[in-house]
Amino acid sequence: MNLDEIRQYYAEEIRAVANIQSEALVAAFAKVPREHFLGPGPWQIANPDSWQAMTPNANLKGGGSYRTTETDDPKHLYHNILIAIDAERKLNNGQPGSLASWIDTLELQMGDRVLHVGCGVGYYTAIIAEVVGAGGHVWGVEIDPDLAERARRNLAYLNHVEVVEGNGREFGSDPVDAIFINAGATQPQAVWLDSLKDGGRLILPLTVARDETSGGMGFMLKVDREEKGYAARFISPVAIFPCIGSRDAESNQRLREAMSKGTWGTVQSLRREPHEPSETCWLHGEDFCLSTLPLDASA
């Protein structure tokens, strides 16, 4: 098979693994060249034990090992695998199946305006940009200066993509249709919720970790801004690097206690109005609450 055929086969593999519903997203995976974002090979592929490097009690020396591809043929990149961006930091270009599933959950449409926090080297930002098309706009925010510069170079061919070096917690975009937070937080940030248009969708990983800079584990949360408020539900487990500035010890402990109950599937809404904690508050913060009440009841 030539490389175009390999990319198409890869896209169909991701469709099957992630149960992708969006044809535009499948087409984007078939089109965007992963090697353009990861640089020349050979590449380092994360072994199946790499998830251990993200756990709160991980010994990084024991987990997250890699193997090197036999050649620099880009065909090695077109599988549902993690590829190292910086192996020493255990920093990888995310698992395509997982990222595809989360992006699909955003229900992107042509012309949408999207914020992608934690864009890394820009591969999945490019996937999003292909789905929304030239009539849309995508902001990729990356706090790491080196990664931000790489993303800026990698995405320069897309006129409707803007890369910003900065803290995703502090970046305020124009109102957007969708937000993808691609780094672990301990709570939704007000700036993200405020940036959503009516009908807007937000996905973010709520994770617990050893400290503010360690990777953590938790669940992906989806929030839909509706006329009556914010619907919310958890959609999948996740292990991921932290969203710097969006974590603190107190909220980390609150989240740990909430997750230890094993009732994350009961969350139905996100409340922002002041109220006293009650048995319907799954996770009660200072300016938000993940509630087991349905949206109609919590509005």
Side-chain angles (χ1 to χ4, degrees), residues 109-276:
Q109 303 295 322
M110 292 289 289
D112 273 357
R113 299 165 69 82
V114 184
L115 173 62
H116 182 196
V117 172
C119 69
V121 295
Y123 174 61
Y124 294 102
T125 316
I127 295 286
I128 291 170
E130 290 293 341
V131 176
V132 303
H137 194 87
V138 183
W139 289 268
V141 181
E142 176 54 55
I143 197 169
D144 183 296
D146 293 336
L147 293 181
E149 179 56 31
R150 286 181 64 180
R152 190 173 289 111
R153 293 196 306 268
N154 291 339
L155 293 162
Y157 73 99
L158 293 167
N159 292 330
H160 61 298
V161 176
E162 181 180 347
V163 177
V164 178
E165 179 190 330
N167 190 322
R169 180 187 182 185
E170 300 170 353
F171 178 75
S173 68
D174 295 334
V176 295
D177 300 284
I179 301 175
F180 178 19
I181 308 300
N182 197 23
T186 50
Q187 64 185 55
Q189 299 298 315
V191 67
W192 303 335
L193 298 171
D194 291 341
S195 296
L196 286 178
K197 294 180 180 179
D198 288 343
R201 294 84 61 198
L202 161 69
I203 55 172
L204 74 153
L206 289 186
T207 61
V208 296
R210 292 189 306 270
D211 53 53
E212 294 180 26
T213 60
S214 297
M217 295 187 71
F219 297 94
M220 292 295 295
L221 177 72
K222 184 183 182 187
V223 178
D224 291 271
R225 185 168 189 173
E226 301 181 9
E227 183 178 353
K228 295 182 179 180
Y230 298 86
R233 63 186 176 91
F234 287 106
I235 57 177
S236 72
V238 63
I240 200 166
F241 270 70
C243 185
I244 304 300
S246 298
R247 310 190 64 85
D248 63 73
E250 183 178 348
S251 59
N252 188 74
Q253 183 58 31
R254 281 201 304 266
L255 182 59
R256 186 188 302 276
E257 292 170 358
M259 288 185 175
S260 68
K261 301 173 187 175
T263 57
W264 56 275
T266 63
V267 170
Q268 299 188 71
S269 61
L270 186 150
R271 302 176 63 183
R272 302 188 72 185
E273 81 284 1
H275 63 277
E276 292 298 319

Side-chain angles (χ1 to χ4, degrees), residues 3 7 28-38 77-78 123 126-127 130 157:
L3 196 53
R7 290 193 186 111
F29 272 94
K31 180 178 180 179
V32 176
R34 202 176 184 188
E35 66 275 14
H36 171 74
F37 295 84
L38 295 176
L77 302 178
Y78 290 101
Y123 174 61
I127 295 286
E130 290 293 341
Y157 73 99

Side-chain angles (χ1 to χ4, degrees), residues 41-59:
W43 301 273
Q44 292 178 287
I45 300 174
N47 287 327
D49 66 351
S50 62
W51 66 271
Q52 296 178 34
M54 303 304 302
T55 60
N57 298 312
N59 175 354

